[in-house]
Amino acid sequence: MNQEQWAAVDHYITELLVSPDQVLEAALQTSAAAGLPPINVAPNQGKLLQLLATMQGAKNILEIGTLGGYSTIWLARALPPDGHLVTLEAEPLHASVAQKNISRAGLEKIVDLRLGPALATLKQLAAERREPFDFIFIDADKESYPDYFIWSLKLSRRGTCIIADNVVRNGAVIDPAHADPRVQGVRRFNELLAAEPRITATTVQTVGSKGYDGFTIAIVTADP
Ligand code: SAH
Ligand code: DHB
Ligand code: MG
């Protein structure tokens, strides 16, 4: 089994089950044209996020790490017309590409894109004392996953679903001595998750067009 085969199967699944969509295609094309890295979720993973948010009946979604808005559009489309999605992005170029893609998708009233380091924005969101988020997608810098988890929990309620991307990293996650701080960030995130009594969680390994990685899926079981 190799990358070529994983990508071919992803292609097969996507052709069958993920409807072609000009707005999502345009989001990827404009992101590539602007030089953004191709580290968006795959189409079938975007659909997974959308399905999970729909199952959750989410009305308020938080996304940490917008890039060009690809996963943002998938998630925002799971929302009812009166729903809201807040997405956090530190890079002005990424945010500007994303804002155009969100507008092209007709989601500018639903999506609140906040430019700045996510940690600062998370503190601000907590200070705003808004209603808790129903669904949170963590996908920004891996070094900060432990902090993103702590803040996500603060911004949650009993029943909130927290998803984290890129938690397996080619299997690197099992190496306690790994030199990459991103791997150490994900390990620390896993340890916090494991030690947190208000969380029940699992991780699924994934292969596909984006290589070998994984998603953590967690539910908050008590009001934080
Ligand atoms: N969720 C996107 C991919 C996000 S890639 C998708 O699947 O389509 C990770 C993003 O996090 C990048 O755009 C990067 O600029 C952003 N990022 C990195 N560090 C950040 C930080 N400290 N605060 C906010 N965003 C950050
Ligand atoms: C990277 C970040 C991501 O969110 C992702 O899905 C893949 C790779 C990265 O920083 O390399
Ligand atoms: Mg990711």
Side-chain angles (χ1 to χ4, degrees):
M1 292 294 215
N2 56 37
Q3 179 57 51
E4 197 184 336
Q5 188 162 19
W6 299 340
V9 175
D10 253 8
H11 183 73
Y12 167 79
I13 293 165
T14 299
E15 287 255 292
L16 279 173
L17 299 176
V18 185
S19 310
D21 185 285
Q22 285 187 350
V23 166
L24 286 166
E25 287 301 320
L28 294 182
Q29 278 163 14
T30 55
S31 297
L36 273 52
I39 55 174
N40 52 277
V41 293
N44 52 342
Q45 295 175 331
K47 180 113 183 235
L48 171 66
L49 292 172
Q50 187 180 83
L51 289 168
L52 291 168
T54 301
M55 287 178 206
Q56 174 73 349
K59 283 194 149 195
N60 280 294
I61 297 178
L62 171 64
E63 176 180 65
I64 308 176
T66 317
L67 191 65
Y70 184 75
S71 55
T72 316
I73 295 170
W74 274 111
L75 284 168
R77 284 177 169 175
L79 288 166
D82 62 341
H84 295 285
L85 185 152
V86 180
T87 185
L88 315 186
E89 177 55 55
E91 289 290 335
L93 173 64
H94 298 185
S96 108
V97 171
Q99 189 58 62
K100 289 189 193 110
N101 286 326
I102 290 159
S103 296
R104 187 183 296 105
L107 294 165
E108 69 277 5
K109 292 212 173 83
I110 283 181
V111 176
D112 174 7
L113 168 57
R114 305 248 186 135
L115 175 62
L119 214 46
T121 314
L122 288 164
K123 287 176 189 164
Q124 195 187 320
L125 288 170
E128 286 171 16
R129 294 182 181 274
R130 50 175 45 240
E131 53 180 319
F133 292 100
D134 308 309
F135 190 96
I136 301 177
F137 179 45
I138 301 176
D139 193 22
D141 53 311
K142 315 308 162 197
E143 296 88 332
S144 302
Y145 271 32
D147 289 324
Y148 296 154
F149 172 67
I150 290 163
W151 281 97
S152 293
L153 199 53
K154 285 192 214 291
L155 296 167
S156 292
R157 57 165 168 85
R158 184 167 59 83
T160 293
C161 175
I162 301 175
I163 309 280
D165 192 23
N166 312 114
V167 292
V168 173
R169 293 249 154 200
N170 268 311
V173 71
I174 62 170
D175 179 1
H178 206 289
D180 188 335
R182 295 173 298 182
V183 173
Q184 292 301 336
V186 170
R187 284 182 59 85
R188 183 81 195 111
F189 164 78
N190 287 332
E191 285 154 17
L192 286 176
L193 205 63
E196 176 51 66
R198 295 165 297 178
I199 283 278
T200 180
T202 192
T203 292
V204 283
Q205 304 185 70
T206 58
V207 293
S209 59
K210 298 288 170 177
Y212 168 33
D213 217 318
F215 282 107
T216 291
I217 302 178
I219 298 278
V220 180
T221 56
D223 279 310

